[in-house]
C-alpha cells in the first residue's frame, strides 16, 4: 500500500504499532494493541497544553491580580483527583495548591485514611488567587469550569473528590447545598464518561467549624472503602 492509498485510520494505527515495544507485541496476554487510553506521554502533553491555555487567558481579574498560576500538584498518573476552590496567598507565592493552613489539614485528612498526599493529584476550580482571597464569582467559576472539565478528562480519575461548595458548584451547579449532597457517591458525566464523585467539606471550612469534622471523617472513611474496593494504589 502506498502512502496515498492509506486512509487516516491506517496511518494512525501504523504509528501506534510502530511505537510499541517488542515485549508488548509478542506478549502472551491478550492486549488491546490499538490503545484508546491516553499514554503517559500524551497525558503530559495534554496537561502542558491545558496549562498553556490557562496561562494565556485574557481579560481575567484573577490572573491580572495574581503572582503565579497554580495549576496542580501530585501524581498525574494516580486515579484519585482532589479539587479545591482556589489558591490563597501561600499557594499564589509558591505556584502550588494547598500549601497553606488548609493544605496542612488536607495532608492530615489524607494521612488519616493512609493516603500520601504526593501520590494523589490535586487542583482547584480557579487557577489564580482571587484578590483578597474572595470567593470566585459565579462567572469566574463558570469560565474556569471549562478548563476543569478538560483537566478531569485528561487525568481520568477513578475517584474524584470535590472539596467545598465552590468545587461542587463548578461541576454540579449552584442549586444544591453541600450539607445535603456530601457523603454519598455521585456520578459526574464529562464527554460521555462517568466519574465516581464524592463531595465533602473543604479543609478551610473545617478549620473554622471544627464541629463539622465528624462529617468529614465519615466521608473520608467512605472514600477509603471505595479505594480498597477498586484496588487503587495510594
Ligand atoms: N484552598 C483551596 O481551595 N485551594 C488551595 O489551593 C488552597 C486553599
Amino acid at each position: 500500500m502506498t502512502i496515498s492509498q492509506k486512509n487516516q485510520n491506517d496511518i494512525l494505527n501504523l504509528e501506534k504499532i510502530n511505537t510499541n515495544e517488542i515485549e508488548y507485541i509478542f506478549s502472551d496476554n491478550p492486549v488491546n494493541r490499538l490503545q484508546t487510553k491516553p499514554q503517559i506521554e500524551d497525558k503530559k502533553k495534554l496537561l502542558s497544553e491545558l496549562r498553556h491555555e490557562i496561562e494565556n487567558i485574557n481579560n481575567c481579574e484573577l490572573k491580572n491580580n495574581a503572582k503565579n498560576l497554580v495549576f496542580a500538584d501530585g501524581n498525574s498518573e494516580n486515579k484519585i483527583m482532589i479539587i479545591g476552590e482556589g489558591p490563597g496567598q501561600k499557594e499564589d507565592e509558591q505556584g502550588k495548591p494547598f500549601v497553606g493552613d488548609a493544605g496542612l489539614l488536607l495532608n492530615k485528612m489524607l494521612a488519616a485514611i493512609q493516603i500520601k498526599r504526593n501520590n494523589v493529584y490535586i487542583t482547584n476550580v480557579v487557577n489564580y488567587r482571587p484578590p483578597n482571597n474572595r470567593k470566585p464569582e459565579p462567572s469566574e467559576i463558570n469560565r474556569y469550569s471549562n478548563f476543569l472539565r478538560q483537566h478531569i478528562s485528561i487525568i481520568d480519575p477513578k475517584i474524584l473528590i470535590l472539596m467545598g461548595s465552590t468545587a461542587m458548584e463548578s461541576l454540579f451547579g449552584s442549586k444544591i447545598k453541600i450539607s445535603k449532597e456530601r457523603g454519598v457517591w455521585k456520578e459526574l458525566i464529562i464527554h460521555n464518561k462517568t466519574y465516581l464523585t464524592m463531595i465533602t467539606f473543604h479543609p478551610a471550612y473545617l478549620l473554622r467549624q471544627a464541629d463539622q469534622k465528624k462529617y468529614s471523617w465519615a466521608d473520608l472513611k467512605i472514600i477509603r472503602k471505595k479505594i480498597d474496593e477498586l484496588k487503587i494504589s495510594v
Side-chain angles (χ1 to χ4, degrees):
M1 202 184 321
T2 65
I3 289 283
S4 58
Q5 287 171 299
K6 285 179 190 155
N7 66 28
Q8 186 66 31
N9 280 345
D10 291 326
I11 295 169
L12 277 177
N13 293 344
L14 194 62
E15 272 173 17
K16 284 178 180 163
I17 287 166
N18 285 342
T19 56
N20 283 332
E21 298 292 330
I22 199 84
E23 288 85 342
Y24 179 71
I25 293 170
F26 292 106
S27 164
D28 289 329
N29 301 323
V31 285
N32 175 7
R33 292 182 192 281
L34 304 177
Q35 297 195 355
T36 51
K37 276 194 170 178
Q39 311 234 320
I40 295 178
E41 285 314 308
D42 295 341
K43 198 182 246 191
K44 294 243 179 314
K45 184 163 170 280
L46 290 171
L47 285 173
S48 120
E49 283 167 4
L50 177 61
R51 186 188 174 103
H52 192 68
E53 234 185 292
I54 301 173
E55 268 163 358
N56 286 306
I57 192 169
N58 285 321
N59 302 322
C60 174
E61 190 192 337
L62 304 182
K63 175 182 164 184
N64 293 346
N65 285 283
K67 290 196 176 107
N68 284 301
L69 166 72
V70 178
F71 185 68
D73 188 33
N75 177 3
S76 58
E77 289 308 308
N78 194 266
K79 289 292 158 197
I80 299 185
M81 181 172 187
I82 297 177
I83 299 171
E85 177 176 297
Q89 186 184 351
K90 288 215 169 116
E91 289 78 16
D92 184 37
E93 278 161 10
Q94 296 184 34
K96 240 171 115 168
F98 282 103
V99 289
D101 291 342
L104 292 178
L105 180 55
L106 173 63
N107 296 350
K108 285 188 192 160
M109 290 160 69
L110 295 176
I113 52 167
Q114 289 83 47
I115 296 179
K116 293 195 191 83
R117 177 206 161 114
N118 289 342
N119 285 351
V120 295
Y121 190 79
I122 305 175
T123 188
N124 280 311
V125 169
V126 295
N127 304 95
Y128 294 102
R129 179 192 183 195
N132 304 318
N133 291 349
R134 67 164 169 75
K135 186 177 150 57
E137 300 286 348
S139 61
E140 292 163 342
I141 295 175
N142 197 23
R143 189 175 186 191
Y144 277 81
S145 81
N146 294 324
F147 299 128
L148 184 58
R149 284 167 184 274
Q150 284 184 57
H151 213 151
I152 295 167
S153 292
I154 298 169
I155 296 299
D156 192 27
K158 289 216 167 96
I159 292 179
L160 189 59
I161 303 172
L162 306 184
M163 295 200 135
S165 55
T166 304
M168 180 186 78
E169 185 177 331
S170 167
L171 296 162
F172 286 96
S174 58
K175 302 263 180 292
I176 53 178
K177 287 224 166 314
I178 189 164
S179 50
K180 293 224 172 79
E181 306 296 329
R182 54 146 281 278
V184 288
W185 290 110
K186 296 193 175 302
E187 293 187 341
L188 174 71
I189 300 173
I190 301 175
H191 304 143
N192 291 329
K193 173 125 205 225
T194 304
Y195 297 94
L196 197 57
T197 304
M198 174 67 69
I199 298 167
T200 190
F201 289 136
H202 192 289
Y205 171 75
L206 297 173
L207 287 173
R208 297 192 302 270
Q209 301 281 336
D211 60 323
Q212 302 294 299
K213 284 183 180 168
K214 54 182 178 289
Y215 300 114
S216 167
W217 178 230
D219 300 349
L220 289 170
K221 284 190 284 186
I222 297 172
I223 292 169
R224 179 70 231 187
K225 191 161 171 260
K226 188 61 78 182
I227 290 172
D228 292 337
E229 270 169 38
L230 298 179
K231 300 188 173 45
I232 298 174
S233 77
V234 283

